[in-house]
Amino acid sequence: MIIYLDGKYLPEAQAKVSVFDHGLLYGDGVFEGIRAYNGRVFRLKEHIDRMYDSAKTLDIRPPITKDEMAEAICEVLRRNNLRDAYIRPIITRGVGDLGLDPRKCKKASAIVIAVTWGAMYGDLYEKGLKAITVSVRRNPPECLPPNVKSLNYLNNILAKIEANYKGGDEAIFFDTNGYVAEGSGDNLYVIKNGEIITPHTLNNLRGVTRMVILEIAQSLGITVKEQNLGYFDIYTADELICSGTAAEIAPITWVDGRVIGSGKPGPVTRQLMEAFHAVTKNEGYPAFPNAGAKASAKTSVKASVKAAKSGVKKTKTVAAAKAKIAAKIAAKTGAKKAAVKKPVVRKAKAPAKKTSGKAAIIP
């Protein structure tokens, strides 16, 4: 594996950071999770913009520009020959001393790692996840804004630990006001009466996949509402989903012992999942020369959703045509059967009178 580290592309064994790096000592840094599909990096600009916004909030000056970061990401994919990958760009405060003072860190550090990572939840995309509402509360924005994707993920990890002990696949965070925030690593959406309801992004990460889902919903004509949600809304949802770069779109069918909806991924969930996969197939920043042209986000979403709809209509049309043909064949077969003459049943002759005490043989 080749890793980018401060301007160099190094083998994994040689990619090392100092023990005095404040990213290690204090979680003082930011990161992103990005996916590449078929040689194209999905929503690369949006991810890099979010990472640099996080760095600005923490007053970290990235050592490379956004364009240089984009190039480093693509080069790591090329050097590892990874067309489908999960990418982790990182910016740390850099090397300092054992004190907290960030002024001691003279220069920030940049790292890019890329690995093969398939579907995060395996067969649970068909079955649905089990989620646990945890006692740990999401960091309030006045302390550490959830929109900063920092290297300090202890809040999320504590929630995940609690969900693990209680038998959940994912945790559901509430904020300090008692409203639904997000999962331990993804955004949440309630689907009720055909509408999508999701929390405002003040108490949760402004997800890139979340942005895509809202665009898809708009293209599909599904109403989306951003509002506060509570336990009642979670338990009584028709469908419940979570989304993130690693998770993509995943159904949640069980929360705290309550079955959500029918207990299976619902129709709106499946529609969103299908459309999302169509979008990721058609959109992205090309990392390889033959990966295809770059498509703009909204144009790609509209075109992909249209293609997905078209595919569904085509499938229905083909199915209807097959059913029609089968009906015609059945009708013809039935007519032929009706036209066949019934065999003549010959009545048996009455037994002949007994002679010489022996039964007569009926011819």
Side-chain angles (χ1 to χ4, degrees):
M1 180 192 300
I2 302 298
I3 294 171
Y4 173 87
L5 175 59
D6 291 333
K8 297 179 181 178
Y9 295 91
L10 302 169
E12 182 182 353
Q14 297 177 25
K16 300 175 181 179
V17 297
S18 169
V19 294
F20 288 96
D21 191 306
H22 277 211
L24 169 65
L25 291 175
Y26 297 110
D28 190 359
V30 297
F31 77 98
E32 276 296 318
I34 310 174
R35 276 196 184 269
Y37 299 93
N38 196 28
R40 290 182 292 197
V41 187
F42 188 65
R43 295 293 170 107
L44 178 60
K45 181 182 183 302
E46 288 82 352
H47 279 290
I48 291 179
D49 284 346
R50 185 173 68 177
M51 182 166 67
Y52 278 64
D53 285 345
S54 293
K56 186 174 184 180
T57 304
L58 298 182
D59 199 24
I60 296 174
R61 296 180 182 178
I64 56 177
T65 66
K66 290 182 180 181
D67 288 343
E68 289 169 337
M69 178 61 78
E71 178 54 31
I73 287 169
C74 292
E75 185 61 24
V76 166
L77 290 175
R78 290 192 289 265
R79 293 198 182 212
N80 289 289
N81 194 29
L82 290 173
R83 291 180 172 271
D84 295 279
Y86 180 82
I87 310 153
R88 175 60 58 84
I90 304 164
I91 297 173
T92 74
R93 180 81 64 182
V95 177
D97 60 17
L98 293 180
L100 281 170
D101 195 340
R103 293 175 298 180
K104 299 293 181 68
C105 304
K106 300 303 179 185
K107 186 179 179 182
S109 184
I111 304 165
V112 179
I113 309 165
V115 298
T116 300
W117 191 1
M120 181 177 175
Y121 289 120
D123 63 351
L124 293 180
Y125 291 94
E126 288 300 318
K127 298 178 181 178
L129 281 67
K130 290 184 176 182
I132 302 292
T133 58
V134 294
S135 60
V136 180
R137 290 300 182 248
R138 192 68 176 102
N139 288 332
E142 61 269 27
C143 294
L144 178 63
N147 277 303
V148 173
K149 199 171 175 69
S150 78
L151 293 178
N152 186 340
Y153 247 48
L154 287 178
N155 189 215
N156 308 68
I157 292 167
L158 285 172
K160 186 64 176 173
I161 288 170
E162 186 174 339
N164 288 344
Y165 278 126
K166 293 180 177 179
D169 303 303
E170 178 56 306
I172 294 179
F173 265 126
F174 285 74
D175 64 18
T176 53
N177 294 311
Y179 297 120
V180 174
E182 58 185 334
S184 66
D186 33 55
N187 294 108
L188 295 171
Y189 315 79
V190 163
I191 298 169
K192 189 72 173 177
N193 298 324
E195 297 180 339
I196 298 172
I197 311 167
T198 190
H200 298 283
T201 54
L202 183 64
N203 65 357
N204 59 81
L205 182 67
R206 195 169 295 153
V208 173
T209 306
R210 178 184 185 275
M211 185 193 313
V212 178
I213 287 177
L214 300 190
E215 291 170 8
I216 289 172
Q218 184 181 13
S219 296
L220 290 171
I222 300 172
T223 300
V224 177
K225 295 178 180 177
E226 293 181 274
Q227 65 184 52
N228 291 329
L229 296 167
Y231 283 94
F232 178 85
D233 303 294
I234 293 289
Y235 294 154
T236 61
D238 297 330
E239 303 173 47
L240 183 63
I241 60 176
C242 62
S243 76
T245 297
E248 299 178 312
I249 298 177
I252 297 173
T253 55
W254 184 99
V255 179
D256 296 344
R258 282 91 165 165
V259 173
I260 304 301
S262 66
K264 297 178 181 178
V268 177
T269 300
R270 291 193 177 280
Q271 196 175 14
L272 292 172
M273 290 171 71
E274 184 178 352
F276 180 78
H277 289 309
V279 172
T280 58
K281 284 180 182 178
N282 296 309
E283 184 192 321
Y285 186 94
F288 293 82
N290 59 346
K294 176 185 174 184
S296 66
K298 289 189 177 179
T299 303
S300 173
V301 168
K302 287 181 180 178
S304 300
V305 170
K306 187 177 179 181
K309 282 183 178 177
S310 184
V312 171
K313 285 181 182 178
K314 187 177 179 182
T315 303
K316 287 181 178 178
T317 303
V318 171
K322 285 182 178 178
K324 193 173 181 180
I325 292 169
K328 283 184 178 179
I329 292 171
K332 285 182 180 179
T333 304
K336 284 182 180 178
K337 284 181 180 179
V340 174
K341 292 181 179 180
K342 293 182 180 180
V344 177
V345 179
R346 297 177 68 185
K347 293 182 179 180
K349 292 180 180 179
K353 294 180 180 180
K354 291 184 180 180
T355 56
S356 63
K358 292 182 180 178
I361 299 173
I362 299 174

